[in-house]
Amino acid sequence: MGDNNYDKELDVAVRVVQMACSLCQRVQEGLVSSTSNDHVKSKDDDSLVTVADWSVQATVSLMLSESFSNQKVSIVAEEDVQTLSKSDSVGLLTAVVNTVNECLAEAPKYGFQSPKEALGTSQILEAISRCNSTGGCNGRHWVLDPVDGTLGFVRGDQYAVALALIEEGKVVIGVLGCPNYPRKKEWLNHHHHHQSYQSMPKMSDTSDTWEKGCVLYAQKGSGEAWMQPLIHGNKKHTWSSSAQRVLVSAIDDPALATFCEPVEKANTNHSFTAGVAHSMGLKKQPMRVHSMVKYAAIARGDAEIFMKFAQSGYKEKIWDHAAGVIIVEEAGGVVTDAGGHPLDFSRGLYLEGLDRGIVACSGTTLHEKLIGSVYASWESSNL
Ligand SMILES: Nc1ncnc2c1ncn2[C@@H]1O[C@H](COP(=O)(O)OS(=O)(=O)O)[C@@H](OP(=O)(O)O)[C@H]1O
Ligand SMILES: [Mg+2]
Ligand SMILES: [Mg+2]
Ligand SMILES: [Mg+2]
């Protein structure tokens, strides 16, 4: 691992992700209970963006600047201010400004300073647009997906806040906030989620028996991945001292393994993965989950395999994977492209050179079988 130690960066990143998760929970509660959807917008590629995406991006940008003010902080992040600056977005922008200021007022709870007075619109727009780095193989770059799985977020379902640090092209820390990670792994499944929703305790339920949500994190080369509970509501949690180690599953028999994949067929080829699953002897139905919570499920040992095969021509972005990949690897898992090569985070915004798709496994036995099945299925799917 050399002399590099990222303890300070990791500590800051975990606290800012905790803060962002609390922001998201507040916004999601508002969205799910509201009948209007004026806080959700469609982007040019028809994907969604919400008040939470921009507000988290602003908050993380501000807290990283506060914490590393002596350095030039480079941040690669998903959102820009284009949609937000349009004349018909005044209501949206006001909501972002209010949400960020509400969140900043709580900053001391997370060991950060609150600004002396509420921030204005221009400061918040500036904080969002400052995250316009394009990464690359030189120097340090933070990589942020403020809300990953925005569709899941809007549906009241799974989503994640993902923050990673890349140094000289390698991911060195990863933090993944999963505010709706359920107590029972079966509840992760999108379909089960709705069936069991009525019987699930509500978000406002503060009973101690109900633990939902977590923040996972790892540092490169440590061989350890950790999980903290979320700070719920106003409860004073000793969250920083209640971290638990997470480990991948020991299951290496495909017949017993669970594989997870994106919910939407637009984001992955469900029929191809069904063929791969059959070919390698997976017996269980796929667990379809929004967001990088799929990586969290592998790291926590709640599932053994994650596959994503996007349409050819779609370029995977680094912020959709960086934090998840390092957490799974440090928890004992293996993540590669479909050719078995490690993902390359050194080439800018995209995972350039990716061979077909991404596969994550709890161990090498399943990984080798999976790569073999992808090879066989790809051949036959192209006959
Ligand atoms: N066409 C296409 N193909 C593949 N991937 C795409 C595509 N379009 C978008 N994206 C990216 O997918 C991210 C969401 O992935 P999920 O696994 O959460 O998808 S799903 O909602 O479960 O279907 C999503 O992340 P967020 O935008 O942060 O939600 C996108 O970066
Ligand atoms: Mg998006
Ligand atoms: Mg994303
Ligand atoms: Mg996103």
Side-chain angles (χ1 to χ4, degrees):
M1 179 48 212
D3 300 328
N4 290 335
N5 178 321
Y6 299 95
D7 288 350
K8 177 177 180 200
E9 287 75 12
L10 187 59
D11 173 62
V12 168
V14 169
R15 287 185 287 116
V16 75
V17 169
Q18 282 277 1
M19 199 169 156
C21 286
S22 151
L23 184 162
C24 288
Q25 287 186 309
R26 213 172 306 163
V27 175
Q28 194 184 46
E29 280 178 69
L31 278 183
V32 172
S33 61
S34 134
T35 47
S36 79
N37 57 358
D38 56 347
H39 286 179
V40 180
K41 283 266 173 193
S42 288
K43 297 202 274 194
D44 292 342
D45 63 356
D46 288 334
S47 68
L48 301 174
V49 57
T50 73
V51 167
D53 301 62
W54 285 299
S55 301
V56 167
Q57 189 162 315
T59 303
V60 173
S61 169
L62 290 161
M63 294 304 99
L64 291 180
S65 297
E66 174 187 311
S67 307
F68 303 103
S69 52
N70 54 339
Q71 303 163 23
K72 193 182 169 333
V73 181
S74 163
I75 308 175
V76 183
E78 181 179 358
E79 307 305 338
D80 60 41
V81 293
Q82 250 182 327
T83 310
L84 203 53
S85 311
K86 286 183 184 152
S87 54
D88 63 348
S89 300
V90 182
L92 202 61
L93 183 53
T94 308
V96 169
V97 171
N98 291 339
T99 304
V100 172
N101 278 309
E102 264 178 51
C103 179
L104 293 180
E106 305 259 278
K109 199 166 134 186
Y110 302 90
F112 296 109
Q113 279 179 345
S114 292
K116 291 189 185 60
E117 51 193 62
L119 299 185
T121 306
S122 61
Q123 287 166 295
I124 287 172
L125 285 173
E126 208 272 319
I128 297 170
S129 51
R130 207 191 295 146
C131 306
N132 61 354
S133 166
T134 52
C137 59
N138 297 315
R140 275 188 178 201
H141 308 281
W142 290 93
V143 181
L144 170 68
D145 194 338
V147 176
D148 178 55
T150 304
L151 184 60
F153 178 77
V154 169
R155 288 176 171 175
D157 202 332
Q158 296 302 321
Y159 64 98
V161 175
L163 181 61
L165 180 65
I166 291 183
E167 176 132 47
E168 306 303 318
K170 299 267 187 244
V171 185
V172 292
I173 69 176
V175 182
L176 203 49
C178 308
N180 283 342
Y181 201 104
R183 194 159 46 87
K184 289 197 174 159
K185 65 179 181 184
E186 292 75 22
W187 291 347
L188 274 173
N189 207 318
H190 181 65
H191 303 289
H192 294 174
H193 175 80
H194 290 291
Q195 282 163 17
S196 56
Y197 198 68
Q198 294 304 319
S199 59
M200 282 170 71
K202 291 273 177 333
M203 279 177 199
S204 54
D205 187 336
T206 51
S207 73
D208 284 326
T209 53
W210 176 239
E211 284 295 343
K212 183 181 71 161
C214 61
V215 173
L216 289 157
Y217 54 94
Q219 198 172 144
K220 173 103 183 153
S222 63
E224 294 172 359
W226 294 85
M227 168 172 84
Q228 282 179 353
L230 282 189
I231 307 173
H232 280 290
N234 291 321
K235 258 200 309 190
K236 276 267 174 219
H237 250 289
T238 49
W239 45 283
S240 46
S241 59
S242 53
Q244 268 172 266
R245 196 130 166 226
V246 295
L247 277 178
V248 292
S249 160
I251 290 175
D252 62 2
D253 176 359
L256 303 175
T258 299
F259 97 85
C260 50
E261 63 180 351
V263 174
E264 297 297 302
K265 60 177 186 292
N267 292 342
T268 192
N269 188 332
H270 284 156
S271 57
F272 178 70
T273 56
V276 172
H278 178 74
S279 151
M280 78 176 280
L282 299 179
K283 298 278 180 255
K284 299 190 185 182
Q285 283 296 105
M287 193 152 81
R288 294 197 173 139
V289 186
H290 292 289
S291 84
M292 267 185 267
V293 162
K294 293 184 278 293
Y295 283 109
I298 307 294
R300 288 180 49 149
D302 287 342
E304 285 75 28
I305 294 171
F306 162 44
M307 293 188 249
K308 181 179 180 190
F309 287 84
Q311 285 160 4
S312 71
Y314 178 79
K315 290 170 85 176
E316 293 286 350
K317 289 137 188 154
I318 57 171
W319 55 72
D320 280 323
H321 304 283
V325 169
I326 184 172
I327 291 166
V328 166
E329 288 176 344
E330 298 302 323
V334 187
V335 189
T336 66
D337 67 14
H341 307 290
L343 309 187
D344 185 355
F345 290 92
S346 74
R347 312 235 330 245
L349 299 183
Y350 301 101
L351 294 175
E352 301 287 355
L354 186 83
D355 182 356
R356 294 167 286 177
I358 293 172
V359 300
C361 295
S362 52
T364 51
T365 308
L366 286 173
H367 183 256
E368 277 162 23
K369 288 185 178 156
L370 179 51
I371 296 288
S373 296
V374 168
Y375 183 80
S377 304
W378 194 266
E379 293 283 284
S380 58
S381 74
N382 285 338
L383 284 180

